[in-house]
Amino acid sequence: MKILRTIAEVRAAVRAARAEGETVGLVPTMGAFHEGHLSLMRQARAESDLVVVSLFVNPTQFGANEDLSTYPRDEARDAALAEVEGVDILFAPAAAEIYPDGFATNIHVAGITEVLDGAIRGAHHFDGVATVVTKLFGIVTPDVAYFGQKDAQQVLVVRRVVRDLDLDVRIEACPIVREPDGLAMSSRNVYLDADARAQASALNRSIDAAEAVLASGQNDGESIRAAADRVLADASIDVEYLELRDAETLQPVDAVERDALLLVAARVGAARLIDNHLLRGVAS
Ligand code: AMP
């Protein structure tokens, strides 16, 4: 595995692979790898000839009061884990390589970025995501890019950028990888102390409770949401949002008639956690 720092080096490596007729898979990350990241790398490895993983803690997607300065960073550990997964290139640029002096472009997706995490974290968050992902697509020119369903709203934002800007890349959304107690893996889980870690499993339990209501034949949003809400309240979780939304448009829905997402964000101890679950549509 090569660790590359510059855009020019990545372009040269991709050009050489393309000359051999190879396909290119990209896994964008901010590092602090866990099984969620590794599952994306495995899928890329299984499907692409050249696997590029980007490791870049993108400053523009963090708000002023967020955790940019404390975000977990351990490039040596990450490189070792990526190497085991058979990654070909770890692209780990400095911030100035991605945002040189005079950088002035911003990719803003309207609508779906204004709700949920966009509303809580502010417009800069998904603008930062959309802009850096568009740059990574320009640098790596992947055939396929792999994202985690863990960040469901991010997947929809990236898909919209690709569609609206006619980018020639296929977006693969990979399933959420969870701890044995159901907690969705996240680089931010390291912020949880023992009490908060125990409390955090309520997020997934709330999703299970919602799924159980749907499985019992009730598809109305109020019953589904109430079941999830009860679990979170019982665990004294400080909920930022718990919402049932159309799985494609993120519009609020009253019933799960088409596929819907139950999305939750909460403050647990020192961490801000998000989770979600696809509820399969059942016409009433
Ligand atoms: P991050 O480093 O947090 O920006 O995540 C990099 C990629 O890994 C994103 O596409 C995430 O959605 C994905 N990811 C993070 N956690 C998980 C998880 N628990 N399961 C699946 N994918 C994940």
Side-chain angles (χ1 to χ4, degrees):
M1 187 182 76
K2 286 188 200 145
I3 300 179
L4 302 182
R5 307 277 172 202
T6 68
I7 293 165
E9 289 170 308
V10 174
R11 284 197 201 284
V14 169
R15 206 177 301 122
R18 290 245 184 257
E20 300 293 318
E22 293 188 3
T23 60
V24 179
L26 170 67
V27 181
T29 83
M30 299 204 301
F33 294 157
H34 50 66
E35 277 295 318
H37 298 108
L38 302 185
S39 73
L40 270 51
M41 294 177 207
R42 272 174 217 142
Q43 193 167 338
R45 181 66 286 160
E47 295 177 356
S48 305
D49 298 315
L50 184 78
V51 175
V52 181
V53 172
S54 60
L55 193 180
F56 182 60
V57 182
N58 177 35
T60 64
Q61 70 189 69
F62 287 78
N65 298 319
E66 294 185 357
D67 56 346
L68 175 62
S69 63
T70 55
Y71 198 81
R73 291 169 170 85
D74 189 343
E75 186 188 299
R77 175 182 171 276
D78 287 346
L81 290 168
E83 173 123 49
V84 169
E85 298 305 332
V87 169
D88 298 300
I89 293 171
L90 186 69
F91 176 42
E97 181 73 5
I98 299 298
Y99 300 114
D101 281 348
F103 186 89
T105 297
N106 184 46
I107 306 281
H108 176 71
V109 177
I112 55 170
T113 62
E114 287 150 25
V115 298
L116 302 165
D117 260 40
I120 299 276
R121 301 185 67 176
H124 67 85
H125 172 63
F126 285 117
D127 286 8
V129 169
T131 304
V132 81
V133 167
T134 303
K135 281 180 65 81
L136 289 169
F137 289 171
I139 295 163
V140 179
T141 63
D143 298 280
V144 190
Y146 298 85
F147 292 85
Q149 186 60 24
K150 158 95 189 327
D151 298 278
Q153 191 173 8
Q154 172 170 279
V155 171
L156 291 171
V157 170
V158 171
R159 284 196 195 284
R160 185 56 62 96
V161 171
V162 166
R163 196 175 83 184
D164 289 354
L165 300 184
D166 304 300
L167 304 183
D168 193 10
V169 54
R170 180 161 64 83
I171 303 302
E172 276 291 324
C174 304
I176 301 174
V177 178
R178 298 180 179 282
E179 300 286 357
D181 70 347
L183 176 64
M185 290 196 182
S186 165
S187 303
R188 292 189 165 98
N189 290 352
V190 298
Y191 301 151
L192 299 168
D193 63 21
D195 287 348
R197 174 65 191 79
Q199 204 187 7
S201 68
L203 268 67
N204 183 242
R205 282 189 284 113
S206 77
I207 284 170
D208 288 346
E211 180 66 60
V213 170
L214 187 67
S216 78
Q218 281 173 280
N219 76 346
D220 70 287
E222 213 163 287
S223 305
I224 290 170
R225 235 189 126 276
D229 208 18
R230 214 170 304 123
V231 174
L232 296 170
D234 285 350
S236 304
I237 297 280
D238 180 10
V239 177
E240 279 185 345
Y241 60 74
L242 172 67
E243 297 206 32
L244 195 60
R245 299 252 172 180
D246 182 272
E248 275 172 20
T249 65
L250 291 186
Q251 289 294 311
V253 293
D254 295 329
V256 184
E257 287 166 349
R258 289 157 29 96
D259 287 355
L261 286 167
L262 183 71
L263 304 110
V264 58
R267 299 251 163 211
V268 184
R272 177 178 187 273
L273 303 179
I274 58 171
D275 202 348
N276 72 88
H277 178 67
L278 181 70
L279 295 164
R280 290 283 177 198
V282 273
S284 50

